[in-house]
Amino acid sequence: MSTPSGLSRRRFLQTSGALVIGFYVAPRSGLAAMQAPAAPALPDPNAFLRIGEDESVTVILAHSEMGQGVWTALPMLVAEELGCDWAKVRAEEAPAAPVYAHPAFGMQMTGGSSSTYSELDRYRYAGAVAREMLIQAAAEQWKVDPSACRAEAGFVVSGDKRLSFGKLAAAAQKRTPPATVKLKDPKDWKIAGRPTKRLDSPEKVTGQAQFGMDVRLPGMLTALVARAPIFGGTVKGFRAEKAKAVPGVKAVVQVPSGVAVVGEHFWAAKLGRDALEIDWDPGPGADLDTQRLREEFRAAAGTPGTKAAAAGDVDAALKSAAKTVEAEYEVPYLAHAPMEPLNCTVRIGADGAEVWTGTQFQTMDQTVTAKIAGLKPEQVKIHTMFLGGGFGRRATPTSDFVSEAVQVAKAAGGAAPIKVVWTREDDIHGGYYRPMYVHRLRVGLGADGKPVAWRQTIVGQSILEGTPFAPMMIKNGIDDTSVEGVADSPYVKGTASHLVDLHSPKKTIPVLWLRSVGHSHTAFVMETFVDDLARAAGQEPLEYRRRLLSEHPRHLGVLNLAAEKAGWGRPLSGGRARGLAVHESFGSWMAQVAEVSVASGRVRVHRVVCAVDCGICVNPAGVRAQVEGAVAFGLSAALHGELTFKDGRVQQSNFHDYPLLRLNEMPEVEVHIVPSSEKAGGIGEPGVPPVAPAVANAIFAATGQRLRRLPFRLA
Amino acid sequence: MKLNVNGKEYEAAAPDDMPLLWVLRDILGLTGTKFGCGMAQCGACTVHVDGQAVRSCVTPAASVQGHAVKTIEGLSAPGLSAIQRAWIEEDVVQCGYCQPGQIMAAAALLAARPHPSDADIDNAMSANLCRCGTYLRIRAAVRRAAELAGRTA
Ligand code: FES
Ligand code: FES
């Protein structure tokens, strides 16, 4: 997910009604606004951790665990300051409540690769405040000065006296929290900063972990919803007789998104839905067609759009350039396809509602549920379950899958909790895709081979248009998520005359942020095009990048590290060739070198060497896992991912025609982390952007074929 | 219908065509087995029938009457199997949703080939998708599980 940059609470409340509450007033704009501001007051440790009489320390998570490892990283931060025994540490998800609002974004959410770095202070302070309170409690019992006490491995110790945290917890809770505490210097960290195994492994390897899909409540029913086969379509009428005749089907109800069949279990609801007869009004999207979209986008790319970045006189500079290079790029619509299909369980009672789901957007879900059920937000309890993957799909500004489930529960009436389950086909057909984009570039080079004019037009649907985020995040007609990685690219900014403009055509297709958002296409364009520029300039790609990025030490740092570890320039055997890419996103820098061979028209990626600079690193094991996973995610998009439309309908439906990377296609991945004491950056997403361009550049090196469309299709 | 799951006899009131996956999850309450695709494409629903890995989403429950079904819940009783220990030691999981299926696939592989080659691992494990991309650690954990099992055997 991207940065709600420059959010202003007042402006937000003024412009968007009461849907979302309490955005923090970001003091700076752009990327800087992602960094957590200094905590205005120390956090109340009671909200963030619980010490049990059994010596357990339970850390309460303001962010959802979707595989990215907050279940481990946030407890590490608490434990580091608390001085507890790591073996006693547990985690649990927080309820939806204002105290758990994201320190930078002001709503409870998980996204923007921000969970760990944005909480670096709050969770450490929570641990430190609790430690001081435990120390005070012990000092009082022993009648010694607190300064003579210290916390270690779950005990407060003073001389030969020791009391365990569990024994002190009750007394400590009554102490007044200190007004100030000092955090450890990260160089003195004992738990944080070291590779640490995940805390959620035991339950996840035994099948005990509870995902939203696994929720079971007394009397619970399961519903499937028949949604319009064409986006924007509506129900004209339906016949439910056959559906109702399916054994186990309890009810058929109409909801705003379609017709829901409620059954005793999934299978009854599924057979019931299959038996529904619905007459759809296709709406305005009936002639949606990928080939036509492509033509339309390409035509738009040849016309001036809304300015996203501009300097100098780009036309004049192009005319006087020693050489010009042009190219056009295209990337398709993509589905997130998390392994756990969407689902949401809702119970509406007389005085409140409860929601069980895997979500990245608790505040939104709570607000929307309250509105539909006619309740106040505080009457809505959100139970955040484990997420079987998110990748942005579980962070919808419309709360689509939650609001729909609330609608189903409301329409069905009755006290029974209802779980709405999406099938994989529902997921692939369900919209909220990474938008399709077309880029057109025309760049002029000077006599020294460096760009002197950079002209780039981007065409693709806006993710934020029409959402509650639009008023703050679309500035001067520019949705930042469409141009990030281009408008702020060091290549563009470093070119004296440049013009980046944007067309955001409106379509019926719902679109959304997908892991690495705009960077998922912009890095591919920029890093393959820079290879073309290097060639046009007669320079070697690594050397050329070093020249263009000479003022960007963190780009250079990862570039040089990846090149060195990959043996850049050293000969390769077996028909292999290397390609390189470097990109900054979410406050982190990432370079990758891919080793690829191409045989009988098939691309094989053998090895990807990654160098990452994410500033202060909390769990290097987690960083490694995120980067490996990002390589797989990036390769799925580069080699396979493509959704197409014909006669208004999505043509793909399940993993047989929307394939994901499989184990036998997984390359070796090396992850090298730049040691750093710089401000922490994100890690969930930055590994994705360089994958496609590094592989494309390697394919070029191997075959001479320049691929400018994703997924790769060799000629 | 009568089902034998993890060594226990169950009487399940379910239509004959109901896939084993949904009988396990929605009727017997064994939710460790996951739904990912419903068409034998992802392996999230992998269980063992008489020791063979099968996709429970496309296996009619009625067809496994009289056979021994094993799910992830049965693999860890009593105590973690070598495979599960290897999974923890290699820190395999991310979101974890695919992992019961991955582990059941690995268990069937190791039962058939206690010392699998890399090609065996690729063959046996490529039918199981992991959107989080834990594949490298899955490979490592299968190798480690083979070692662990060899040590205790
Ligand atoms: S759910 Fe059975 S293979 Fe995917
Ligand atoms: S761990 Fe998330 S899908 Fe495999």
Side-chain angles (χ1 to χ4, degrees):
Chain A
M1 239 192 69
S2 187
T3 344
S5 47
L7 298 180
S8 145
R9 176 186 207 166
R10 230 187 36 226
R11 211 169 114 224
F12 187 80
L13 293 177
Q14 280 164 357
T15 50
S16 63
L19 183 62
V20 191
I21 40 167
F23 273 89
Y24 178 76
V25 185
R28 296 154 296 176
S29 64
L31 193 65
M34 290 170 68
Q35 309 295 345
L42 292 180
D44 176 2
N46 290 304
F48 297 98
L49 66 119
R50 218 171 43 230
I51 297 174
E53 280 178 10
D54 62 351
E55 308 297 336
S56 64
V57 173
T58 305
V59 176
I60 299 153
L61 306 176
H63 298 273
S64 311
E65 173 58 59
M66 48 191 193
Q68 87 285 36
V70 287
W71 201 267
T72 311
L74 298 186
M76 288 170 75
L77 295 173
V78 169
E80 183 61 58
E81 291 293 336
L82 185 62
C84 58
D85 175 1
W86 178 249
K88 301 277 165 40
V89 177
R90 321 262 173 275
E92 70 180 38
E93 290 293 347
V99 64
Y100 300 111
H102 190 292
F105 301 163
M107 57 182 264
Q108 193 170 335
M109 57 156 285
T110 303
S113 292
S114 66
S115 297
T116 301
Y117 78 67
S118 72
E119 297 291 7
L120 206 56
D121 286 349
R122 182 158 71 164
Y123 275 76
R124 283 193 296 158
Y125 274 119
V129 169
R131 176 194 69 221
E132 290 308 310
M133 291 162 81
L134 289 161
I135 286 179
Q136 282 177 30
E140 189 182 61
Q141 265 193 45
W142 295 330
K143 308 274 183 267
V144 302
D145 193 86
S147 66
C149 306
R150 62 182 198 281
E152 65 182 33
F155 289 85
V156 176
V157 182
S158 180
D160 54 0
K161 293 189 280 292
R162 280 156 71 84
L163 271 172
S164 73
F165 284 5
K167 295 215 168 62
L168 286 166
Q173 212 184 5
K174 299 198 190 89
R175 308 293 311 183
T176 317
T180 57
V181 285
K182 206 171 143 352
L183 296 179
K184 283 188 198 169
D185 190 316
K187 71 176 172 357
D188 301 323
W189 281 352
K190 299 265 179 323
I191 296 171
R194 309 198 169 187
T196 303
K197 288 199 165 68
R198 300 180 62 106
L199 287 179
D200 51 359
S201 276
E203 53 201 305
K204 286 182 173 175
V205 303
T206 52
Q208 301 305 309
Q210 292 287 297
F211 297 85
M213 193 66 95
D214 302 330
V215 169
R216 286 170 61 80
L217 299 165
M220 186 182 83
L221 300 171
T222 300
L224 268 68
V225 179
R227 302 176 188 87
I230 292 173
F231 295 121
T234 48
V235 176
K236 261 203 282 195
F238 66 97
R239 289 217 310 279
E241 290 73 20
K242 287 183 193 153
K244 283 182 177 160
V246 170
V249 168
K250 296 288 194 189
V252 176
V253 293
Q254 194 174 344
V255 290
S257 57
V259 181
V261 178
V262 184
E264 276 172 20
H265 41 62
F266 173 93
W267 194 242
K270 154 103 173 60
L271 295 183
R273 186 176 73 170
D274 291 348
L276 268 180
E277 294 163 296
I278 306 179
D279 188 9
W280 295 101
D281 179 339
D287 61 350
L288 207 56
D289 181 288
T290 296
Q291 192 48 43
R292 273 210 297 280
L293 277 180
R294 180 176 292 146
E295 284 157 20
E296 181 193 326
F297 282 23
R298 292 184 59 185
T303 65
T306 310
K307 270 184 201 158
D313 182 343
V314 79
D315 289 330
L318 275 169
K319 274 201 203 92
S320 58
K323 208 173 211 177
T324 56
V325 185
E326 288 181 60
E328 191 175 277
Y329 288 83
E330 186 190 318
V331 302
Y333 288 97
L334 289 179
H336 304 69
M339 282 312 297
E340 179 196 16
L342 296 173
N343 60 84
C344 178
T345 305
V346 177
R347 174 162 62 202
I348 303 178
D351 50 4
E354 285 183 87
V355 174
W356 292 260
T357 193
T359 177
Q360 298 176 239
F361 261 13
Q362 286 83 352
T363 304
M364 294 285 196
D365 298 339
Q366 190 180 38
T367 313
V368 165
T369 302
K371 203 165 157 198
I372 297 168
L375 297 162
K376 297 199 196 80
E378 56 272 24
Q379 292 175 289
V380 175
K381 216 169 157 182
I382 307 271
H383 304 268
T384 302
M385 312 302 292
F386 277 121
L387 280 65
F391 315 117
R393 181 63 184 91
R394 290 182 154 97
T396 43
T398 56
S399 283
D400 70 314
F401 61 96
V402 173
S403 68
E404 181 187 71
V406 180
Q407 295 282 9
V408 171
K410 189 177 161 186
I418 296 184
K419 183 201 283 181
V420 173
V421 174
W422 295 50
T423 62
R424 178 59 57 193
E425 289 78 6
D426 295 340
D427 172 62
I428 301 291
H429 291 161
Y432 295 92
Y433 306 133
R434 193 286 301 278
M436 166 181 165
Y437 291 95
V438 167
H439 288 240
R440 183 170 294 172
L441 293 96
R442 194 152 177 246
V443 170
L445 301 180
D448 63 353
K450 283 191 179 178
V452 292
W454 194 295
R455 178 83 180 78
Q456 185 163 358
T457 303
I458 304 172
V459 185
Q461 278 182 259
S462 164
I463 292 169
L464 295 164
E465 176 75 47
T467 73
F469 294 100
M472 316 89 55
M473 293 178 62
I474 300 186
K475 279 168 275 162
N476 304 321
I478 297 295
D479 177 340
D480 189 46
T481 68
S482 302
V483 298
E484 58 187 2
V486 174
D488 54 351
S489 156
Y491 302 132
V492 172
K493 292 286 186 196
T495 303
S497 298
H498 61 257
L499 174 60
V500 176
D501 55 7
L502 173 70
H503 294 275
S504 304
K506 289 192 193 358
K507 297 288 156 201
T508 47
I509 307 161
V511 292
L512 189 62
W513 25 56
L514 171 137
R515 191 175 189 179
S516 82
V517 200
H519 302 283
S520 70
H521 57 101
T522 57
F524 168 60
V525 172
M526 301 308 271
E527 284 299 307
T528 48
F529 194 69
V530 162
D531 254 40
D532 284 352
L533 294 182
R535 199 152 40 89
Q539 294 173 30
E540 192 278 331
L542 171 62
E543 220 25 72
Y544 188 66
R545 283 180 176 78
R546 283 181 179 146
R547 288 182 62 205
L548 298 191
L549 298 169
S550 60
E551 319 259 294
H552 299 270
R554 297 179 81 178
H555 282 88
L556 286 179
V558 293
L559 193 58
N560 289 332
L561 182 59
E564 176 208 320
K565 297 290 183 185
W568 185 262
R570 256 184 264 143
L572 280 168
S573 57
R576 293 191 191 188
R578 292 191 191 92
L580 176 68
V582 59
H583 194 76
E584 178 204 349
S585 61
F586 306 92
S588 292
W589 286 257
M590 178 88 56
Q592 295 176 356
V593 174
E595 261 176 41
V596 167
S597 65
V598 178
S600 41
R602 262 203 59 193
V603 175
R604 172 117 206 136
V605 183
H606 301 273
R607 179 174 176 231
V608 180
V609 177
C610 312
V612 55
D613 174 355
C614 55
I616 290 175
C617 175
V618 174
N619 186 1
V623 167
R624 260 191 193 96
Q626 281 305 298
V627 176
E628 286 180 15
V631 168
F633 200 91
L635 285 176
S636 280
L639 301 176
H640 304 303
E642 180 169 33
L643 291 179
T644 53
F645 293 88
K646 184 101 189 112
D647 300 326
R649 292 166 193 250
V650 182
Q651 291 178 285
Q652 294 72 25
S653 63
N654 204 317
F655 296 127
H656 63 292
D657 54 9
Y658 187 74
L660 305 179
L661 194 85
R662 290 183 181 273
L663 181 133
N664 57 356
E665 301 170 290
M666 183 72 187
E668 281 173 56
V669 178
E670 277 174 39
V671 182
H672 302 280
I673 304 172
V674 175
S676 170
S677 54
E678 295 282 341
K679 184 151 48 187
I683 200 59
E685 296 167 275
V688 176
V691 176
V695 172
N697 290 337
I699 293 172
F700 180 81
T703 65
Q705 277 191 62
R706 171 52 74 194
L707 302 179
R708 296 195 180 92
R709 258 171 77 175
L710 295 180
F712 300 137
R713 301 277 185 256
L714 288 160
Chain B
M1 65 181 75
K2 281 190 173 44
L3 293 176
N4 181 301
V5 184
N6 302 327
K8 224 169 118 183
E9 297 293 333
Y10 291 89
E11 178 67 54
D16 279 358
D17 63 347
M18 189 160 166
L20 176 60
L21 170 65
W22 296 109
V23 174
L24 291 171
R25 291 183 53 84
D26 285 359
I27 296 186
L28 306 186
L30 296 170
T31 56
T33 305
K34 303 302 184 197
F35 166 54
C37 69
M39 60 177 297
Q41 289 292 316
C42 77
C45 65
T46 305
V47 299
H48 297 175
V49 174
D50 297 335
Q52 296 291 319
V54 306
R55 309 288 177 232
S56 64
C57 68
V58 292
T59 305
S63 73
V64 302
Q65 295 185 96
H67 298 271
V69 177
K70 192 186 227 179
T71 70
I72 187 75
E73 288 90 349
L75 199 70
S76 39
L80 295 179
S81 62
I83 296 175
Q84 289 162 311
R85 280 186 282 130
W87 241 251
I88 292 174
E89 286 173 25
E90 292 292 340
D91 214 22
V92 174
V93 310
Q94 284 184 211
C95 85
Y97 193 78
C98 72
Q99 300 297 343
Q102 304 279 6
I103 290 169
M104 295 308 285
L109 165 66
L110 290 171
R113 290 172 187 267
H115 303 286
S117 66
D118 288 355
D120 291 336
I121 296 175
D122 274 26
N123 280 337
M125 301 303 296
S126 291
N128 288 66
L129 289 173
C130 175
R131 184 58 155 156
C132 296
T134 62
Y135 296 132
L136 295 174
R137 299 190 303 283
I138 288 174
R139 276 193 192 132
V142 173
R143 286 189 211 110
R144 185 185 285 240
E147 275 170 37
L148 287 177
R151 229 176 280 157
T152 49

